[in-house]
Amino acid sequence: MRGTRTFIHYVIIFIILILIFLLLLTASNFIPKQAMLENFKVSVSQVAEYEKMSTRMPQTFDRYQLDYHTDATMLDNAYFVDSEQPVKSAVACPSYGGDMDSLSSVVSDPEIAPNKTYSRYWHGYLILLRPLLMFLTYSEIGVLNTYLFYILLAVCLLMLYRKTGAWFALVFLMTIISLNIIIIPVNIQYFSVFILSFIGIWAVTSFCDKRRHWITYLFMVMGMCTMYFDFYTCPLLTYGFPMIVYIVLLGKEKEASFKSMIGVVLTCFAAWAAGYVLTWIVKIALAYFIVGKIEFSYAVESFSSRMAREIPEATAQKLAEGIQSIAPGISLDQIPLACVSIGLVLMQLLNTVSLIAFSGAFLAGIILRITRKNVKGSGKTMLVLLIVSLMPILWFAVAVNPTIVHYYFQYRTIGMTVFGVLSAVYVSIDFERNAKV
């Protein structure tokens, strides 16, 4: 009976959120594109400048690369809206080309008609981007995002400090810094998943004491919002960051067993994944019935290419050249794509500064474990954290196509691994006892 009631709650929350998602997108479409035309034109020139910066950037600085391709698409999608058919336009998401050359054509001829749809994603960012473009340009939106990013990061650090102490807040801060946060707020497409992760951490720390029964629902909502707002950057972070915080909080409770914590990990992941996948399926179904049957074929084709165990020819050629420069005797065909995918991710993270910082942090943790008292019974929490930290590695090994093609931003999913490993070291050390020594 209780299980049936819980399932009904999930269904009700899901339906309400889907209706809200569609209503907000529809409402944003009532904004006429003429109202944001001037800021749109300036924004196109600003994104073009970022494109020039990216092309001049040394190959070794890929981890700092802005994804101007996707931001150009987002501007394109924000401009081409049919206010006379707001619901259909919300589902279809019409656009014109979606790249820098196409945007230049739109600036030259603002009355040009859209020539494609992008219905397989929700494009929830449009509910904020379209109103903002009435008053701000692309760069100004980046400044606004920067303020919001650091305010929410500060809120997370404060919540972690209150619940766990300064050391764990420092662990999270080091994780975020390792992901090259200086460009995250500037790039609209990178922004959403981190803001959602910060909100998830705030919610977990807020609900853990008195409203713990809400947390599983929270993860389903997080999965749904990730699918709604994100453009497929590093979606696992909206599950991983809040979950790692939740495990650390559970580990502080002596009665929490390994089995119960694993149950929480699996249940919350199932809720997050269900919210993520089902929200995507609903979007495709809406496109099928409202826009046309061909939209379903486009979605299936996109999914098949994402999950394919092969990569585009141009990308393969660049990889082959890179491998030859490092190991002349080895060809790309001799290396499993899963290893190539994981290797590209690790290369973005393992730069000199990060290696020094994390080697120092890890060494300090080992010294504390040797010289100070350890937390009794912390082994089970450490093991659960390490299990969760392996999830991104598994994802990189399975989703080789999107990881290899978009490694310069997909690598940030490894933040879940960094946070999990550092958290495992943290929970093993009795900082309260150390403070008294």
Side-chain angles (χ1 to χ4, degrees):
M1 188 68 180
R2 184 180 177 183
T4 303
R5 188 182 300 113
T6 301
F7 177 76
I8 292 173
H9 290 165
Y10 281 121
V11 173
I12 292 172
I13 293 170
F14 182 83
I15 292 173
I16 290 174
L17 267 183
I18 291 294
L19 292 175
I20 291 174
F21 288 167
L22 185 58
L23 179 63
L24 289 174
L25 274 176
T26 302
S28 71
N29 288 345
F30 282 105
I31 300 173
K33 60 184 180 182
Q34 289 77 13
M36 56 185 189
L37 179 58
E38 293 306 314
N39 284 331
F40 171 80
K41 290 180 178 180
V42 176
S43 298
V44 171
S45 64
Q46 291 170 344
V47 175
E49 289 300 315
Y50 284 125
E51 179 186 24
K52 294 177 184 178
M53 290 169 55
S54 296
T55 55
R56 295 169 184 164
M57 188 174 293
Q59 190 72 23
T60 53
F61 279 75
D62 281 350
R63 58 187 175 274
Y64 294 103
Q65 183 175 328
L66 292 168
D67 186 14
Y68 61 87
H69 292 289
T70 305
D71 274 13
T73 300
M74 295 167 87
L75 287 173
D76 191 343
N77 295 338
Y79 183 75
F80 283 102
V81 164
D82 186 355
S83 297
E84 295 182 359
Q85 294 182 300
V87 177
K88 183 176 180 179
S89 186
V91 176
C93 194
S95 63
Y96 183 82
D99 54 24
M100 286 306 306
D101 292 336
S102 301
L103 284 183
S104 300
S105 300
V106 177
V107 170
S108 302
D109 182 12
E111 298 303 319
I112 196 170
N115 61 3
K116 61 182 291 188
T117 59
Y118 210 152
S119 65
R120 64 180 177 272
Y121 287 112
W122 274 93
H123 304 283
Y125 57 85
L126 292 177
I127 68 174
L128 301 174
L129 181 58
R130 299 200 79 246
L132 287 174
L133 281 173
M134 295 173 63
F135 309 101
L136 303 173
T137 66
Y138 174 82
S139 294
E140 291 169 338
I141 293 172
V143 173
L144 178 64
N145 287 349
T146 301
Y147 282 118
L148 181 59
F149 179 91
Y150 287 108
I151 289 171
L152 288 178
L153 175 58
V155 170
C156 279
L157 294 174
L158 179 61
M159 294 293 288
L160 293 177
Y161 170 75
R162 288 178 174 176
K163 291 288 185 179
T164 61
W167 285 103
F168 188 59
L170 181 61
V171 165
F172 182 65
L173 179 60
M174 289 185 64
T175 301
I176 295 298
I177 291 174
S178 74
L179 303 179
N180 303 310
I181 60 172
I182 57 174
I183 66 168
I184 290 171
V186 178
N187 215 145
I188 298 176
Q189 104 106 336
Y190 294 163
F191 182 68
S192 298
V193 72
F194 282 90
I195 294 303
L196 289 172
S197 298
F198 294 163
I199 293 173
I201 290 173
W202 169 82
V204 163
T205 54
S206 300
F207 297 163
C208 189
D209 292 333
K210 297 182 179 179
R211 299 180 179 89
R212 188 168 296 183
H213 60 285
W214 289 6
I215 289 182
T216 309
Y217 299 129
L218 166 68
F219 277 98
M220 186 188 76
V221 171
M222 292 294 294
M224 294 180 69
C225 289
T226 304
M227 173 55 68
Y228 185 66
F229 285 104
D230 186 41
F231 223 131
Y232 197 69
T233 53
C234 35
L236 267 181
L237 290 185
T238 64
Y239 165 77
F241 282 170
M243 176 50 60
I244 289 170
V245 172
Y246 191 30
I247 293 169
V248 170
L249 293 174
L250 289 177
K252 290 181 174 296
E253 301 173 2
K254 302 304 181 183
E255 67 273 13
S257 65
F258 174 78
K259 183 177 179 180
S260 66
M261 284 193 285
I262 285 293
V264 167
V265 168
L266 295 177
T267 301
C268 290
F269 180 73
W272 182 92
Y276 186 83
V277 174
L278 291 177
T279 302
W280 183 65
I281 291 174
V282 168
K283 182 59 169 65
I284 295 172
L286 288 171
Y288 179 90
F289 290 108
I290 296 176
V291 184
K293 296 179 180 180
I294 190 65
E295 301 298 324
F296 177 77
S297 301
Y298 292 153
V300 172
E301 181 181 347
S302 174
F303 178 78
S304 299
S305 65
R306 294 284 192 189
M307 293 295 104
R309 305 296 293 180
E310 57 185 24
I311 53 178
E313 185 176 344
T315 304
Q317 184 177 353
K318 290 182 180 179
L319 279 174
E321 293 172 357
I323 291 171
Q324 282 297 308
S325 65
I326 299 172
I330 300 177
S331 66
L332 178 60
D333 295 336
Q334 295 176 297
I335 307 175
L337 284 182
C339 295
V340 174
S341 175
I342 296 171
L344 278 174
V345 168
L346 293 178
M347 286 175 64
Q348 305 314 302
L349 187 68
L350 298 180
N351 54 78
T352 304
V353 176
S354 294
L355 278 174
I356 294 173
F358 286 103
S359 297
F362 191 78
L363 181 61
I366 296 300
I367 292 173
L368 282 172
R369 278 187 58 86
I370 295 173
T371 60
R372 303 292 186 181
K373 296 290 185 179
N374 299 331
V375 176
K376 186 177 181 180
S378 63
K380 61 180 185 296
T381 308
M382 291 179 64
L383 183 56
V384 175
L385 287 167
L386 292 175
I387 290 172
V388 172
S389 70
L390 291 175
M391 293 178 68
I393 306 299
L394 178 61
W395 169 250
F396 296 139
V398 173
V400 295
N401 180 283
T403 302
I404 291 175
V405 174
H406 302 299
Y407 68 93
Y408 57 92
F409 63 78
Q410 288 266 339
Y411 82 91
R412 288 187 174 88
T413 307
I414 202 71
M416 186 172 160
T417 303
V418 174
F419 191 30
V421 171
L422 291 180
S423 297
V425 175
Y426 161 80
V427 299
S428 69
I429 303 169
D430 193 342
F431 285 100
E432 293 181 5
R433 183 187 294 263
N434 290 339
K436 299 174 183 177
V437 175

